[in-house]
Amino acid sequence: MDQKQTPILDALAALERRPIVGFGAPAHHHGNAMPGGMRRLLGRRVFQADVMTPKGLDDRTEGAHALQRAHEIAAEAWNADFCRFVTGGSTQSLHTVLSAVAGPGDTVLIAANAHKAERAHALATGLNAVIIPVEIDPRWDIEHGVSPAVLAEMLAAHPEARAVLIVSPTYFGVTSDIAALADLCHDQGVPLICDAAWGGAFAFCEALPHDPLTKGADAAVYSLHKTMGALAQGSAILAKSGVLDLQRLWMAYELFETTSPSVPILASIDATRRDHALDGERLWTQVLDTAAGLRGQLAKIEGLRVFTRDDLPAGAELDDSKVLVDVSALGVSGYAIDDWLAREHRVSAGLSDARHLLLILSLGTRRADVRALVAGLEDLVRQLAAGTAGLPPLAALPGIDTLQVEMAMAPRAAFVGAAEAVPIEAAEGRIAAEIIAPAPPGVPRLVPGQRISAAHVAWLVAQRDAGAFFLDPVDPSEHTIRVVA
């Protein structure tokens, strides 16, 4: 297929040249009516592009197959047998793939560092989500991927498992040994699903890690908006035939995708695929060169420690566009540094936690952006030395390796049953009735049905006091937690 083609983008351009007088949705009718202030802020062309897929982008029966052709071209670009564009982000994509492989009561093995999306789907649909322990690096206090030895043990302990879901690359850019994990899964006739939200560009540049589909994964979910340039919520599901039932995956997609997908998002995915298929090697070589320069500059700043390939576990690869920095030697939290940089220099890290800043470079990153970041961090270090930064000292923190998962009751029962709110400090021994997922990266540390240990209490209190943001807690003040009554 011709990777220069962009069926969605071309259909949208044709519609702009010859607009249709419609008597249906959207109600703004190509921007004839716009909410107050939107014309000045966004302009009319955003609304002109906001059309329906049938009787807009395509005809009444979608006879031109604009969306379908875009899917086929993208499947070839990723060397896959199946592709669908998703406008509800990779959360929706993950829900779709999980629905295609397992139903209520079925067992799915899910990596401990999986995003809230996977655990939320299991909770809502009644899947039996069995957690696979991941490798933890105590020197860096971060989670890596699933080791083949651990997965072999989990598959032996759960022969009833219908699928395995892992995160590769992690938020920090570290991959798992996909080939070894895929072999273990396929020996059991089980599909390997890869949450590769941050790895969509891997297929298009030799200097990036291997794309999971080329190493044996059966399905991969990519967030094309995270690094590749699509509009926010732009995601894609790619899959290979064989172990996975692609027809069932197609049906699951139709269940979850809205009948009114955002055409601007779809067009941005289509264009992003084209740009990467034609020029991905050059685009990402530039990004990686910029990242290498940033690593060198940060290494010269006293008190900063930069994650490198020497820190990788066996069998892993590193996406060098993710620059992880340990800031704990500065004596203040990453949260506080992130806030200070935003306030004083209008610079924001991709992720901050108590010990780290994660700096994510992508196609839109400019060398001027890197200079602004480095200047901000150098200014911070000077002010910390002079005592003028005004940031609170970082207290001692328990490591992430202290957190263990003990399920005390069925998650669904804990979620819908009687509950009460208790102070986090008084929650030891209780059973969680909500998801607590500090974000980013949005990895749940507690889910409904999980026993809350003393280690969880200590870790959550320390992270909260250091400045963590708990994603969607019932108590936005982060002082109480919902537990089973």
Side-chain angles (χ1 to χ4, degrees), residues 89-460:
S90 287
T91 291
Q92 180 184 330
S93 295
L94 290 162
H95 291 180
T96 299
V97 178
L98 284 169
S99 289
V101 296
D106 288 340
T107 296
V108 175
L109 305 184
I110 297 179
N113 59 342
H115 188 268
K116 174 187 173 185
E118 289 94 323
R119 304 301 297 278
H121 178 83
L123 177 64
T125 61
L127 292 185
N128 177 29
V130 175
I131 301 306
I132 313 171
V134 296
E135 295 184 84
I136 296 177
D137 185 336
R139 283 188 66 242
W140 282 87
D141 194 32
I142 60 173
E143 293 163 313
H144 293 314
V146 172
S147 75
V150 169
L151 180 59
E153 292 177 1
M154 295 296 295
L155 286 169
H158 296 279
E160 78 283 6
R162 299 292 299 272
V164 172
L165 191 150
I166 65 165
V167 179
S168 181
T170 67
Y171 211 99
F172 305 110
V174 178
T175 71
S176 294
D177 186 346
I178 299 294
L181 299 179
D183 285 345
L184 290 168
C185 290
H186 297 163
D187 286 345
Q188 302 293 324
V190 170
L192 176 64
I193 302 165
C194 191
D195 178 348
W198 290 93
F202 289 2
F204 305 104
C205 179
E206 289 292 331
L208 289 169
H210 289 91
D211 180 83
L213 293 177
T214 68
K215 304 297 283 186
D218 298 287
V221 167
Y222 304 117
S223 289
L224 277 70
H225 70 96
K226 282 186 165 68
T227 57
M228 296 178 67
L231 288 173
Q233 296 180 209
S235 176
I237 302 168
L238 279 298
K240 303 281 280 188
S241 60
V243 180
L244 204 60
D245 183 340
L246 297 187
Q247 191 170 63
R248 186 171 176 182
L249 181 57
W250 182 355
M251 292 190 296
Y253 169 80
E254 297 296 340
L255 289 175
F256 281 88
E257 179 63 318
T258 174
T259 54
S260 306
S262 167
V263 167
I265 294 176
L266 293 173
S268 74
I269 295 173
D270 197 21
T272 291
R273 181 272 313 153
R274 175 202 59 198
D275 290 353
H276 278 75
L278 299 179
D279 204 21
E281 192 72 35
R282 182 189 65 83
L283 292 171
W284 280 93
T285 297
Q286 291 180 348
V287 174
L288 296 173
D289 286 346
T290 303
L294 174 60
R295 273 190 166 82
Q297 293 179 75
L298 294 179
K300 297 176 183 177
I301 300 177
E302 186 175 356
L304 302 185
R305 183 166 62 112
V306 182
F307 190 90
T308 71
R309 297 188 180 195
D310 292 337
D311 298 301
L312 289 173
E317 297 178 279
L318 178 64
D319 174 2
D320 288 312
S321 70
K322 311 293 189 300
V323 181
L324 177 63
V325 184
D326 186 337
V327 298
S328 57
L330 297 178
V332 294
S333 77
Y335 302 122
I337 292 174
D338 197 3
D339 294 343
W340 187 91
L341 287 172
R343 183 174 64 251
E344 301 295 330
H345 289 268
R346 303 301 293 165
V347 172
S348 177
L351 169 148
S352 58
D353 62 22
R355 283 188 55 176
H356 309 100
L357 295 179
L358 179 66
L359 310 167
I360 301 169
L361 284 75
S362 55
L363 299 186
T365 305
R366 298 293 177 257
R367 295 190 184 275
D369 303 332
V370 171
R371 289 194 295 270
L373 168 66
V374 172
L377 287 169
E378 290 174 338
D379 183 27
L380 171 70
V381 171
R382 285 193 297 268
Q383 293 207 36
L384 286 172
T388 57
L391 300 183
L394 177 64
L397 293 166
I400 203 168
D401 57 347
T402 62
L403 304 182
Q404 304 296 323
V405 177
E406 178 196 347
M407 299 306 295
M409 66 183 296
R412 184 71 183 170
F415 182 73
V416 302
E420 59 184 334
V422 301
I424 293 178
E425 291 85 348
E428 180 183 351
R430 303 298 297 271
I431 299 173
E434 64 172 323
I435 293 178
I436 300 294
V443 174
R445 299 306 169 193
L446 289 173
V447 296
Q450 187 175 342
R451 180 78 65 187
I452 303 172
S453 67
H456 285 108
V457 171
W459 191 88
L460 289 171

